[in-house]
Amino acid sequence: MRGCFAVPEPTVDNKLMRRRRTFIDLATHTIAVVGGLLCLGIVTAVLGWIILRGAPHVDLHFFWEASRESGLAGGIRYQIAGTIILMLTTLAVAVPLSIGLALAATVYLPRGAARSALQGFLQLLNAMPSILFGIVGYLFFFHYLGWGKSWLAGGLVLGWMILPTVTISLIKSMEAIPLKQIHAAAGLGMRRGQIIRSIYLPQSVRGLFTGSFLGLARAAGETAPILFVATVFAGVSLPEGIRDSPVLALPYHIFVLAQDSLQAGAIENLWATAFVLVALVIGLSLTVLPFRLHNSNRRDHA
Amino acid sequence: MLKKSQITSTAPIYEPFVASPRVLLFREISVWAQGLQILKDISLDIPEHCCFGLLGPSGAGKSTLLQCVNRLLDLQPGFRVSGSIHYKGADIMSKHIDADHLRTRIGTVFQQSSVFPTSIYENVLFGLKRVRGIPRAERADVVEKYLRQAHLWDELKDRLKRPATELSVGQQQRLCIARTIAMEPEILLMDEPTSALDARSTEAIERFILSVRNQCTVILVTHDLEQARRVTDRIACLCAGEEGGEILETGCCDAVFANGACRQVFQRIDEE
């Protein structure tokens, strides 16, 4: 039975058209599947490789013991401690700065040129190669301020590096707040600072978490920015001061072990450290997965 | 007092609030947005404790006029305003006026309700707590008082701690009203508050408007001619002219509804 819309009899043109449409449909579908599988395959291969090679060498002693013989023996106790110190400093630097920047970009700066300029600047900062952060940090802290290698310098450099990630994520969640809610609050006579405290900040906590953890996941694995300013390979434990207090760190440990990879013991410790670092980074990324899923759901429903 | 339905066409029209003191004086308000004129030379006197209706077709600038009174136009870029609005001897449009403080005295209920993502209880106190501060011990009473006034208490008294976003649109709008009158404003601006609501909420809000005039002056923008007849004491009819919205006629409902030019405008509103 026909419905209210009459379906025209297929003509030659129509058949051609239909074939073309089917082809386009099939092609896009294939590209999506191939791309997805390729991505999944590469990630699985790399992770599988690291797990296969690294996991057998990881045990409690490996976590707990300090490294010996230039990393050829022993564990990675102080590398883990150093990475945690660097991460905490990075957060302490990036979070307040990014809240300030995000508020500037959504509340304080006038709409138009100034806001676009700030967003453009953030994109630019995001695209900067990490080695540049390392070199700028080195010139500033080492040559200009006369510091030695320092955990604080490392945290500051990493903080600057992840600043755009955190800020852009925050800006997105602040821009998602309905304007009518801001107007409603203003209509009650609330001042700008009060609107920020009771509307903007509470409603962008998710954005802050997402951005911070993604930024941290990146910072945890970076070698280049801390190479010149914060880390040494061996000979230190926990920092005792600020200016001349280097730390050990996981990515730098991997970097140096890879250079000594011909020596016995280096390879096992290299894979084991890589395993710990990857577990740390994946752990940080997974922490914010619920937030990210929630956000994308919200977008779908909007 | 005569009922409006008892007035015949031959009887003299009763004009309420003619001798009342004025609370707001609009003087030659013109508004431009990106070079386009939205309002042209609006002059109006709003009597104290009346419900003043603004009627007109879409694009006549009714909402823009309200946003001049509470200075919310300041928050939106691209607007230019000339003229003055006198309130308690001061010009609202002056740069020296503290717009935030002004908005605590002139409350606004928007066309689209927007509750804050927190509990019903906290929504009522949202502005009051932050702007004026209220002792913990008085909070529950205040919430009850204003929810009652917004005809919402009976529906919600058992779930004050539930998120406000769970409420129906009509309940959300009444919650917005409760939140606004909790600030005890002297003037209440209502921008088509019932345009998207069910009959029950609309009726509750109209009852609220009729009762709240003892406390404050209401300026109501509405599309609904029958609603204007039911709740307003005086109305101004705006039309969308070539140089932005203008006032055609001001007076009590019967006088304005009797005006030929206004009737044409109302016909257009009905068609919309």
Side-chain angles (χ1 to χ4, degrees):
Chain A
M1 202 182 88
R2 280 194 173 175
C4 49
F5 294 107
V7 180
E9 293 298 319
T11 61
V12 181
D13 278 356
N14 252 340
K15 271 182 192 160
L16 250 175
M17 197 67 192
R18 209 179 333 161
R19 236 176 261 166
R20 220 181 106 181
R21 278 153 44 95
T22 319
F23 174 73
I24 292 176
D25 204 29
L26 201 70
T28 47
H29 192 83
T30 315
I31 292 173
V33 169
V34 168
L37 286 179
L38 200 66
C39 179
L40 202 67
I42 293 173
V43 172
T44 318
V46 172
L47 283 184
W49 196 246
I50 292 174
I51 292 169
L52 281 180
R53 299 290 301 264
H57 305 290
V58 177
D59 53 21
L60 271 182
H61 290 291
F62 186 70
F63 280 107
W64 196 243
E65 274 177 27
S67 57
R68 285 174 279 118
E69 299 167 35
S70 300
L72 299 183
I76 51 169
R77 176 181 182 167
Y78 291 114
Q79 281 81 359
I80 292 176
T83 295
I84 291 173
I85 290 170
L86 283 176
M87 291 307 97
L88 290 179
T89 322
T90 305
L91 264 192
V93 173
V95 167
L97 279 177
S98 59
I99 290 176
L101 275 175
L103 285 176
T106 44
V107 183
Y108 284 99
L109 285 179
R111 254 168 272 243
R115 285 190 189 186
S116 315
L118 179 60
Q119 299 225 6
F121 162 77
L122 287 170
Q123 304 284 4
L124 197 73
L125 202 62
N126 210 11
M128 273 238 282
S130 55
I131 186 79
L132 282 183
F133 283 96
I135 289 173
V136 171
Y138 174 70
L139 290 175
F140 182 74
F141 292 107
F142 206 78
H143 282 278
Y144 184 71
L145 293 183
W147 288 19
K149 286 194 174 184
S150 149
W151 57 272
L152 183 60
L156 285 166
V157 169
L158 287 175
W160 271 105
M161 192 187 75
I162 69 165
L163 193 60
T165 313
V166 188
T167 311
I168 289 169
S169 167
L170 256 178
I171 289 177
K172 272 189 191 160
S173 53
M174 285 184 182
E175 281 176 346
I177 299 171
L179 204 60
K180 59 180 184 176
Q181 221 174 88
I182 310 294
H183 285 177
L188 289 171
M190 288 165 65
R191 295 201 185 276
R192 189 149 61 175
Q194 291 180 312
I195 296 177
I196 287 173
R197 233 193 95 205
S198 41
I199 305 230
Y200 278 105
L201 293 183
Q203 291 194 47
S204 51
V205 169
R206 282 170 197 279
L208 182 66
F209 267 104
T210 313
S212 302
F213 279 81
L214 288 182
L216 273 192
R218 182 180 161 208
E222 284 282 359
T223 318
I226 52 173
L227 189 63
F228 306 116
V229 295
T231 53
V232 291
F233 180 61
V236 294
S237 51
L238 291 174
E240 282 160 2
I242 287 179
R243 283 181 51 166
D244 289 295
S245 306
V247 284
L248 305 173
L250 293 170
Y252 189 57
H253 195 65
I254 296 173
F255 174 69
V256 178
L257 284 177
Q259 289 180 325
D260 297 337
S261 56
L262 289 179
Q263 298 200 33
I267 277 291
E268 282 91 16
N269 270 356
L270 165 69
W271 283 112
T273 313
F275 176 77
V276 173
L277 181 59
V278 163
L280 176 73
V281 169
I282 290 180
L284 284 174
S285 305
L286 285 183
T287 318
V288 291
L289 193 66
F291 290 132
R292 287 170 70 94
L293 290 179
H294 177 90
N295 278 346
S296 60
N297 279 345
R298 199 164 57 174
R299 235 190 342 266
D300 288 345
H301 293 163
Chain B
M1 196 178 112
L2 274 174
K3 276 190 183 166
K4 279 164 193 164
S5 56
Q6 293 172 325
I7 299 170
T8 60
S9 56
T10 49
I13 291 172
Y14 168 64
E15 287 267 5
F17 290 98
V18 172
S20 304
R22 270 40 182 157
V23 64
L24 271 182
L25 302 173
F26 293 74
R27 289 295 173 262
E28 293 175 356
I29 289 288
S30 296
V31 180
W32 291 264
Q34 273 109 26
L36 200 77
Q37 191 160 9
I38 298 178
L39 284 172
K40 190 190 170 197
D41 294 338
I42 303 289
S43 295
L44 274 178
D45 292 1
I46 312 285
E48 210 168 15
H49 293 297
C50 90
C51 174
F52 195 98
L54 291 174
L55 275 88
S58 307
K62 308 179 297 287
S63 303
T64 312
L65 191 60
L66 283 196
Q67 290 182 17
C68 289
V69 183
N70 59 18
R71 291 269 300 266
L72 270 184
L73 226 46
D74 292 12
L75 304 183
Q76 298 159 57
F79 284 97
R80 190 165 67 81
V81 185
S82 77
S84 59
I85 302 175
H86 293 281
Y87 168 60
K88 292 192 163 181
D91 178 11
I92 286 177
M93 306 315 290
S94 153
K95 292 285 166 218
H96 305 295
I97 290 285
D98 176 355
D100 293 326
H101 181 69
L102 179 78
R103 291 184 202 118
T104 65
R105 310 310 315 132
I106 301 182
T108 311
V109 175
F110 298 87
Q111 182 175 8
Q112 285 185 316
S113 62
S114 114
V115 296
F116 300 110
T118 171
S119 67
I120 295 166
Y121 185 88
E122 286 298 322
N123 259 280
V124 180
L125 295 172
F126 204 87
L128 198 57
K129 233 162 84 173
R130 289 166 174 81
V131 174
R132 213 164 291 149
I134 170 166
R136 216 166 269 279
E138 292 171 23
R139 288 180 186 172
D141 294 339
V142 166
V143 169
E144 179 176 346
K145 177 181 169 192
Y146 292 108
L147 281 179
R148 273 191 194 285
Q149 208 178 345
H151 300 289
L152 206 53
W153 175 254
D154 294 332
E155 287 167 57
L156 300 185
K157 61 184 173 204
D158 301 323
R159 44 182 179 137
L160 295 176
K161 297 291 175 189
R162 303 289 304 164
T165 41
E166 283 178 1
L167 301 179
S168 75
V169 181
Q171 289 173 325
Q172 289 194 11
Q173 184 66 301
R174 281 179 278 158
L175 183 58
C176 291
I177 289 176
R179 166 181 92 190
T180 308
I181 48 163
M183 301 293 297
E184 299 189 335
E186 284 160 14
I187 298 173
L188 184 60
L189 310 176
M190 304 185 92
D191 188 357
E192 297 189 38
T194 59
S195 67
L197 303 189
D198 54 289
R200 185 179 170 191
S201 295
T202 303
E203 196 247 314
I205 290 177
E206 287 182 3
R207 268 192 292 147
F208 161 76
I209 294 174
L210 289 172
S211 68
V212 83
R213 284 177 305 181
N214 305 326
Q215 299 166 27
C216 64
T217 308
V218 180
I219 304 182
L220 173 75
V221 168
T222 179
H223 243 105
D224 184 344
L225 303 180
E226 287 311 309
Q227 181 175 65
R229 273 195 187 281
R230 284 193 296 267
V231 300
T232 62
D233 303 299
R234 297 181 70 80
I235 57 176
C237 171
L238 278 83
C239 68
E242 278 176 19
E243 292 178 296
E246 289 175 84
I247 290 187
L248 273 182
E249 174 75 287
T250 314
C252 71
C253 289
D254 291 307
V256 175
F257 277 77
N259 179 310
C262 292
R263 275 220 291 270
Q264 278 184 358
V265 170
F266 295 148
Q267 219 161 14
R268 266 190 63 195
I269 298 178
D270 268 342
E271 283 161 12
E272 281 172 9

